[in-house]
């Protein structure tokens, strides 16, 4: 009988266990099925925050639902913060599956016996569910919260759930999350909060109205200290830590959100619209410092009617942008403060000249000692002038670049070809140049095109990196270090750097001359037509800094110039940024070598080259041209008449050297009354017809259309540039002789209507023709 009872009892126990297991299994199956049918996928809309390289918040924007809800990384949740929260809100957080049955039973019994709600049973997980999906407090919604809590625990780790809580916990008004509260109430990130500050912030969500920071500080201080004493009684922290926290004053108030680097922040928010944290390469202290420098500098320029500036600082090694100042004051609407001066398209002035000279070095057209003529010239109707309206005659290319002379730059661009130079600019990432490509001519080297400060600074960073072009790195994860293309050679870059480092030049600000304030940098200035834009771009081995100063309205200012307006700010930034840089300076590449050149031409000396100097050149690239600044001429013994090989007598002649002057230089000497050695007149009995060296017609312009008024006919000037051996020229209109004149004499005609042929022949029989069209207005 006893044995039978034991068998029955064992059977009943096994049956109960099976039923229990079946019940649990069915429950789990139903839960998993419901989890599939009704998935819980939190979709939190965070505020966009722009951070510096060290993680500090530079700028923050409201979320799409107008909340200050800043995403908090796990690295920002300190052990102290985590420990305080879990002790206060859910001591068994790491042990329950989303709900705490014991807490539920305790709360239910208290609520039943008191007849009102005196105790809650919500875990941190359940609070996260409520924050993600707010609902009225009903029993049905509590069950739904519990189900969602199980789902949350199933799909997320405990650390992720704590992180969600810290991101969503409300602090009154539109402030949500520990990071937003920490920054907006204490002005610091959560990882820098003290125990007293953490305690104050952890109790605010329970009573957001009665403990509102900034307005209820006394009540908040009392509540904070009560909790601190409770922590001490429970031995949660050491006694000295609690005492220090109790003694700490409560400095809590509503602060404004971070607003550094506003132009870059808006740009990145637009580029990464759904990214809660955008990590930039900006350095917080450097950004603050340069923003302050720009603001103070513009305050000194207000009296000159100059209101804006922009600065870009680039680390040459990583191409990381470490400071980005788009305007003097973002909050100044009267002077266009919200315009991003780093991306605004402006005229570059002379800032593109280094790329032109570097490209010409690489093509073998010139070396630094090559001599070009800085004299007036007509380039198919384009007649450029220098900034100071003066001409220097023959100058070296290094002098022309260091002094930013315009006419030599136009001559070199003409020799190089505008298409070649435009392709170089496109290769260097100039987007507006790409759009303007078909309309660009020789004037682009003097500012007749559109560029941005970003593009020009990036170009100069290429010179700093031995000609290697790389994209700028604004954000950490978009690093492009190592991805580079060569726009010019390392040798050409070195020659450019060597020239731009010279300090004996007109674009050195007067107050920096011969002072210890001058940083060791290579720099180039630029001033646009109409004095609207002042540029100064500089670099050393460590940094490249671009500075633009002017008015976003485009209003010109007579006092504005790259040298005296933009360069002082550039020098000031370099002195604060990298004075006496530890990176050293550039050394010459192996292919940059020295050779003797003629000082009068920069070419390989001939026997008549008396003044020889040492000049740098690129081995295997630079042209090996023999000097031709003089030429041999046969004359009679008195040097009164010259001969060619055709009319050279058998005796009674001498071989002499004469300057081999270009026609434009002769015209300049004649105009300025500068004496020069002229060739003797050619043998009048000579019957030879010459072909090379025909006169160059500089007025009128080939292919141009001229409109004349019927009631007041205008005359057109005829002008040419002829060789040194020309005494007379003959002008023809439609193949009819019009007038004989001196080569440098201006001649005027009343042209016939229609297509007109203009011809100029010299006394050696050399001839040039052009065609123009004359119409009546």
């Amino acid at each position: 009988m006893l044995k039978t009872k034991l068998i029955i009892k064992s059977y009943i126990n096994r049956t109960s266990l099976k039923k229990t297991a079946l019940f649990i299994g069915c429950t789990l199956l139903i839960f998993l099925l419901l989890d599939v049918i009704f998935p819980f996928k939190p979709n939190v809309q965070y505020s966009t925050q722009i951070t510096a390289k060290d993680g500090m918040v530079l700028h923050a924007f409201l979320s799409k639902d107008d909340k200050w809800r800043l995403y908090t990384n796990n690295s920002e949740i300190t052990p102290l913060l985590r420990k305080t929260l879990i002790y206060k809100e859910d001591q068994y957080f790491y042990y329950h599956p989303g709900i705490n049955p014991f807490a539920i039973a305790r709360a239910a019994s208290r609520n039943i016996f008191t007849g009102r709600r005196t105790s809650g049973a919500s875990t941190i997980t359940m609070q996260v569910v409520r924050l993600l999906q707010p609902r009225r407090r009903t029993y049905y919604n509590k069950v739904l919260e519990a189900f969602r809590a199980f789902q949350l625990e199933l799909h997320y780790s405990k650390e992720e759930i704590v992180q969600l809580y810290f991101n969503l916990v409300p602090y009154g008004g539109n402030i949500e999350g520990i990071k937003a509260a920490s920054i907006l109430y204490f002005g610091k990130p959560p990882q820098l909060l003290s125990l007293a500050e953490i305690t104050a912030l952890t109790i605010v969500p329970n009573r957001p109205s009665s403990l509102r920071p900034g307005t209820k500080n006394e009540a908040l201080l009392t509540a904070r200290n009560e909790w601190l004493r409770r922590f001490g009684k429970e031995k949660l922290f050491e006694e000295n830590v609690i005492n220090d926290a109790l003694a700490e004053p409560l400095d809590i108030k509503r602060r404004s959100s971070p607003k550094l680097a506003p132009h870059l922040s808006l740009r990145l928010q637009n580029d990464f619209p759904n990214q809660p944290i955008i990590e930039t390469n900006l350095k917080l202290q450097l950004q603050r410092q340069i923003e302050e420098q720009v603001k103070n500098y513009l305050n000194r320029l207000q009296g000159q009617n100059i209101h804006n500036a922009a600065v870009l600082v680039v680390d040459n090694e990583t191409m990381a942008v470490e400071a980005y100042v788009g305007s003097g004051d973002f909050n100044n609407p009267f002077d266009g403060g919200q315009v991003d001066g780093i991306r605004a398209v402006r005229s570059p002035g002379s800032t593109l000249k280094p790329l032109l000279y570097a490209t010409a070095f690489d093509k073998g057209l010139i070396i630094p000692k090559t001599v070009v003529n800085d004299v007036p010239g007509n380039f198919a109707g384009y007649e450029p002038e220098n900034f100071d309206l003066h001409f220097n005659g023959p100058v070296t290319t290094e002098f022309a670049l260091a002094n930013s002379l315009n006419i030599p730059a136009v001559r070199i661009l003409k020799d190089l070809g505008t298409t070649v130079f435009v392709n170089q600019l496109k290769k260097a990432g100039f987007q507006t140049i790409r759009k303007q490509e078909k309309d660009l001519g020789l004037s682009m080297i003097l500012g007749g095109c559109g560029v941005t400060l970003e593009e020009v600074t990036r170009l100069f960073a290429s010179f700093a990196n031995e000609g290697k072009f790389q994209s700028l790195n604004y954000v950490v994860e978009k690093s492009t270090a190592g991805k580079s293309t060569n726009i010019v050679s390392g040798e050409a870059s070195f020659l450019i750097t060597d020239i731009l480092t010279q300090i004996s030049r007109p674009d050195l600000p007067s107050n920096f001359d011969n002072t210890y304030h001058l940083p060791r940098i290579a720099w180039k200035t630029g001033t646009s037509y109409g004095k609207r834009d002042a540029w100064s771009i500089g670099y050393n081995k460590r940094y490249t800094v671009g500075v633009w100063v002017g008015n976003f309205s485009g209003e010109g200012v007579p006092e504005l110039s790259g040298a005296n307006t933009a360069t002082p700010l550039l020098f000031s930034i370099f002195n604060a940024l990298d004075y006496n840089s530890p990176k050293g300076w550039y050394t010459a590449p192996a292919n940059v070598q020295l050779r003797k050149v003629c000082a009068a031409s920069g070419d390989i000396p001939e026997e008549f080259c008396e003044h020889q100097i040492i000049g740098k050149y690129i081995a295997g690239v630079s042209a090996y041209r023999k000097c031709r600044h003089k030429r041999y001429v046969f004359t009679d013994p008195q040097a009164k008449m010259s001969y060619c090989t055709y009319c050279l007598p058998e005796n009674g002649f001498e071989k002499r050297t004469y300057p081999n002057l270009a026609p434009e230089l002769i015209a300049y000497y004649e105009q300025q009354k500068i004496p020069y050695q002229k060739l003797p007149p050619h043998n009048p009995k000579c019957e030879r017809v010459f072909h090379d060296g025909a006169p160059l017609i500089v007025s009128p312009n080939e292919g141009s259309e001229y409109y004349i008024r019927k009631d007041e006919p205008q005359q057109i000037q005829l002008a040419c540039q002829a060789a040194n051996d020309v005494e007379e020229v003959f002008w023809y209109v439609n193949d009819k002789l019009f007038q004989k004149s001196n080569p440098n004499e201006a001649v005027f005609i009343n042209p016939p209507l229609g297509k007109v042929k203009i011809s100029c022949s010299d006394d050696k029989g050399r001839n040039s023709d052009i065609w123009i069209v004359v119409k009546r207005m």
Side-chain angles (χ1 to χ4, degrees):
M1 190 69 180
L2 181 61
K3 186 176 181 180
T4 303
K5 287 182 178 180
L6 289 173
I7 292 171
I8 294 170
K9 188 175 181 180
S10 175
Y11 174 77
I12 293 170
N13 288 339
R14 286 199 300 272
T15 304
S16 299
L17 286 172
K18 286 180 181 179
K19 289 181 178 179
T20 303
L22 183 62
F23 174 76
I24 293 172
C26 290
T27 303
L28 285 174
L29 187 61
I30 292 170
F31 170 73
L32 293 174
L33 185 62
L34 290 173
D35 179 59
V36 173
I37 298 172
F38 304 105
F40 187 35
K41 296 180 179 179
N43 182 23
V44 183
Q45 293 183 336
Y46 290 105
S47 303
T48 299
Q49 50 182 309
I50 314 297
T51 64
K53 194 167 187 177
D54 60 1
M56 300 295 284
V57 178
L58 291 167
H59 205 102
F61 299 91
L62 286 167
S63 65
K64 292 180 181 178
D65 55 350
D66 293 328
K67 301 284 187 182
W68 290 113
R69 189 186 296 119
L70 303 182
Y71 182 83
T72 310
N73 283 313
N74 271 320
S75 60
E76 297 173 301
I77 303 173
T78 61
L80 181 64
L81 183 56
R82 193 187 308 273
K83 183 178 181 180
T84 306
L85 169 76
I86 290 175
Y87 177 82
K88 180 182 174 298
E89 293 293 332
D90 189 357
Q91 296 182 33
Y92 299 99
F93 172 71
Y94 287 105
Y95 306 101
H96 62 67
I99 65 171
N100 188 341
F102 301 103
I104 292 174
R106 183 187 68 242
S109 62
R110 287 182 180 178
N111 294 346
I112 290 170
F113 288 118
T114 59
R116 59 190 176 87
R117 186 179 182 275
T118 60
S119 177
S122 293
T123 61
I124 288 177
T125 310
M126 294 177 71
Q127 291 183 58
V128 170
V129 171
R130 193 181 309 126
L131 292 169
L132 288 168
Q133 295 180 344
R135 292 184 178 87
R136 291 177 56 194
R137 296 200 176 196
T138 64
Y139 289 111
Y140 169 77
N141 287 338
K142 276 290 182 183
V143 173
L144 186 56
E145 278 180 16
F147 171 71
R148 292 299 193 189
F150 283 130
Q151 285 184 294
L152 206 58
E153 293 277 351
L154 178 66
H155 296 288
Y156 293 85
S157 68
K158 290 288 187 180
E159 303 306 320
E160 290 172 326
I161 293 171
V162 169
Q163 185 183 12
L164 275 170
Y165 178 86
F166 277 122
N167 283 329
L168 299 172
V169 60
Y171 283 94
N174 65 341
I175 300 176
E176 294 183 5
I178 189 70
K179 189 170 186 177
S182 174
I183 290 174
L184 296 176
Y185 286 139
F186 286 111
K188 62 177 73 173
Q191 64 266 34
L192 299 182
L193 292 174
S194 66
L195 175 60
E197 293 166 337
I198 288 172
T199 305
L201 288 181
T202 55
I203 62 178
V204 169
N206 302 117
R207 297 161 56 191
S209 298
S210 59
L211 298 179
R212 185 159 190 167
T215 57
K216 306 286 185 180
N217 284 3
E218 290 185 9
L220 181 57
L221 179 63
T222 302
R224 182 201 74 175
N225 290 344
E226 287 177 2
W227 271 99
L228 286 171
R229 293 188 186 95
R230 185 170 172 179
F231 293 157
K233 194 178 293 184
E234 297 290 336
K235 305 296 183 184
L236 190 64
F237 302 105
E238 295 180 4
E239 184 178 352
N240 62 322
V241 175
I242 296 295
N243 291 335
D244 288 344
L246 287 168
E248 185 178 319
L250 183 63
D251 180 21
I252 189 169
K253 61 182 178 181
R254 181 66 165 83
R255 292 169 166 83
S256 60
S257 62
K259 289 183 172 61
L260 285 171
H263 299 90
L264 178 62
S265 299
L266 284 167
R267 175 178 180 174
L268 295 179
Q269 185 197 32
N270 184 62
D271 291 344
F272 307 97
N274 298 315
Q275 193 166 315
I277 298 180
I278 302 173
E279 300 175 28
T280 73
N281 286 309
L282 296 189
K283 291 185 176 179
L284 180 61
Q285 285 303 113
L286 180 61
Q287 180 69 26
R288 281 179 175 160
Q289 174 186 317
I290 293 183
E291 283 188 10
E292 192 65 23
Q293 278 184 278
V294 171
K295 186 176 181 180
N296 293 337
Y297 186 71
L298 286 175
N299 285 338
R300 300 199 296 270
L301 297 180
Q302 292 286 335
Q304 299 179 33
N305 194 31
I306 301 171
H307 301 288
N308 259 302
V311 174
L312 191 66
V313 178
V314 178
D315 183 303
N316 293 330
E317 187 173 344
T318 63
M319 294 303 288
V321 174
E322 296 191 352
Y324 188 112
V325 181
S327 70
D329 183 1
F330 183 82
N331 297 313
N332 181 359
F334 302 104
D335 298 317
Q338 295 186 11
V339 174
D340 187 351
I342 288 172
R343 292 201 292 171
V345 177
R346 315 290 299 187
S347 167
S350 297
T351 56
L352 300 181
K353 288 177 182 175
L355 179 60
L356 169 68
Y357 283 78
T359 305
F361 288 150
D362 278 336
K363 296 294 184 182
L365 297 178
I366 57 173
I367 63 172
K369 295 298 184 183
T370 298
V371 174
V372 291
N373 292 322
D374 179 31
V375 296
N378 186 304
F379 303 89
Y382 179 50
E383 299 183 10
E385 294 179 330
N386 287 323
F387 183 79
D388 60 2
L389 303 180
H390 290 88
F391 303 98
N392 298 273
V395 295
T396 63
T397 54
E398 63 180 351
F399 180 90
L401 177 57
N403 289 267
S404 198
L405 301 180
N406 291 340
I407 297 170
V410 174
R411 293 190 188 280
I412 292 172
L413 178 57
K414 182 177 180 293
D415 292 340
L416 178 68
T418 55
T419 302
V420 173
F421 189 59
V422 166
N423 288 335
Q424 283 288 82
L425 291 169
K426 287 161 59 180
K427 192 176 178 181
F430 285 81
Q431 296 304 315
T432 306
I433 298 288
R434 191 179 297 275
K435 297 174 184 176
Q436 299 173 333
E437 179 178 0
K438 295 180 181 179
D439 302 318
L440 295 176
L442 296 176
S443 64
M444 66 177 163
I445 197 58
L446 307 184
C449 58
V451 303
T452 66
L453 179 61
E454 178 180 46
E455 293 168 341
V456 177
T457 306
R458 186 173 56 199
L459 170 64
F460 277 72
S462 300
F463 295 135
N465 286 322
E466 300 178 348
K468 297 182 180 68
F469 172 80
Q470 300 178 68
S471 298
L472 299 179
N473 295 323
Y474 290 105
V475 294
V476 173
E477 62 268 26
K478 292 293 181 181
S479 176
T480 57
K483 300 177 183 177
S484 63
T485 56
N486 278 79
I487 54 172
V488 294
S489 68
E491 292 80 6
S493 294
F494 174 79
L495 295 177
I496 292 297
T497 300
D498 195 44
I499 294 170
L500 296 183
T501 310
Q502 298 176 17
I503 60 173
S504 299
R505 45 199 269 198
D507 59 352
L508 179 70
S510 56
N511 58 328
F512 279 90
D513 192 15
N514 297 322
T515 74
Y516 66 92
H517 295 295
L518 182 65
R520 188 179 187 187
I521 60 172
W523 85 97
K524 182 71 186 75
T525 64
T527 307
S528 68
Y529 179 77
K531 305 287 187 74
R532 295 180 175 90
D533 307 277
W535 304 79
S536 193
I537 321 293
Y539 61 91
N540 60 14
K541 291 206 74 172
R542 192 174 179 188
Y543 290 106
T544 297
V545 178
V547 173
W548 171 89
V549 181
N551 295 312
F552 290 138
S553 64
E555 181 180 358
V557 178
E559 296 81 11
L560 190 77
S561 73
N564 292 313
T565 310
T567 302
L569 179 57
L570 175 76
F571 285 1
S572 176
I573 290 171
F574 259 110
N575 283 333
L577 180 67
D578 196 35
Y579 189 69
N580 287 331
S581 175
K583 288 277 187 178
W585 198 245
Y586 299 89
T587 56
N591 275 354
V592 173
Q593 299 177 9
L594 300 174
R595 69 185 182 192
K596 284 186 177 181
V597 297
C598 175
S601 66
D603 293 330
I604 303 300
E606 279 280 19
E607 58 185 10
F608 49 72
C609 297
E610 299 173 353
H611 185 197
Q612 299 180 17
I613 57 176
I614 300 297
K616 298 183 180 72
Y617 75 103
I618 304 175
V621 174
S622 300
Y624 189 87
R625 285 189 301 265
K626 289 286 188 177
C627 179
R628 296 176 58 192
H629 86 280
K630 286 188 177 181
R631 64 171 179 163
Y632 290 108
V633 178
F634 297 107
T635 69
D636 61 7
Q638 294 77 30
K640 299 293 185 180
M641 184 171 60
S642 62
Y643 303 105
C644 64
T645 54
Y646 186 82
C647 63
L648 184 66
E650 294 182 1
N651 51 49
F653 65 89
E654 294 182 4
K655 185 179 180 181
R656 304 173 186 267
T657 58
Y658 284 86
N660 189 18
L661 302 178
E664 71 269 10
L665 189 58
I666 295 172
Y668 173 71
Y669 285 161
E670 291 286 344
Q671 180 186 9
Q672 299 296 319
K673 308 300 182 186
I674 298 174
Y676 65 96
Q677 188 178 10
K678 297 182 180 181
L679 288 177
H682 192 65
N683 180 10
K685 298 180 180 179
C686 181
E687 298 178 352
R688 177 185 174 187
V689 176
F690 293 81
H691 299 285
D692 295 332
L696 174 66
I697 300 175
V698 295
S699 178
N701 299 316
E702 168 72 39
S704 297
E705 291 185 353
Y706 291 84
Y707 291 84
I708 58 176
R709 296 174 59 176
K710 183 178 181 179
D711 57 337
E712 190 179 329
Q714 291 100 357
Q715 291 185 321
I716 294 178
Q717 180 184 1
L718 304 180
C720 72
Q721 292 176 351
N724 193 6
D725 57 351
V726 175
E727 295 290 324
E728 291 180 320
V729 295
F730 303 86
W731 289 100
Y732 295 84
V733 178
N734 289 334
D735 295 326
K736 293 182 179 181
L737 178 64
F738 175 73
Q739 186 173 325
K740 178 177 70 172
S741 71
N742 183 283
N744 300 298
E745 179 184 347
V747 177
F748 293 89
I749 64 168
N750 291 308
L753 297 178
K755 195 171 183 180
V756 180
K757 179 182 179 183
I758 307 291
S759 304
C760 182
S761 299
D762 62 20
D763 50 15
K764 302 293 184 297
R766 297 170 292 201
N767 180 75
S768 295
D769 300 323
I770 65 167
W771 291 86
I772 63 172
V773 176
V774 180
K775 297 181 179 180
R776 198 181 297 282
M777 294 179 64

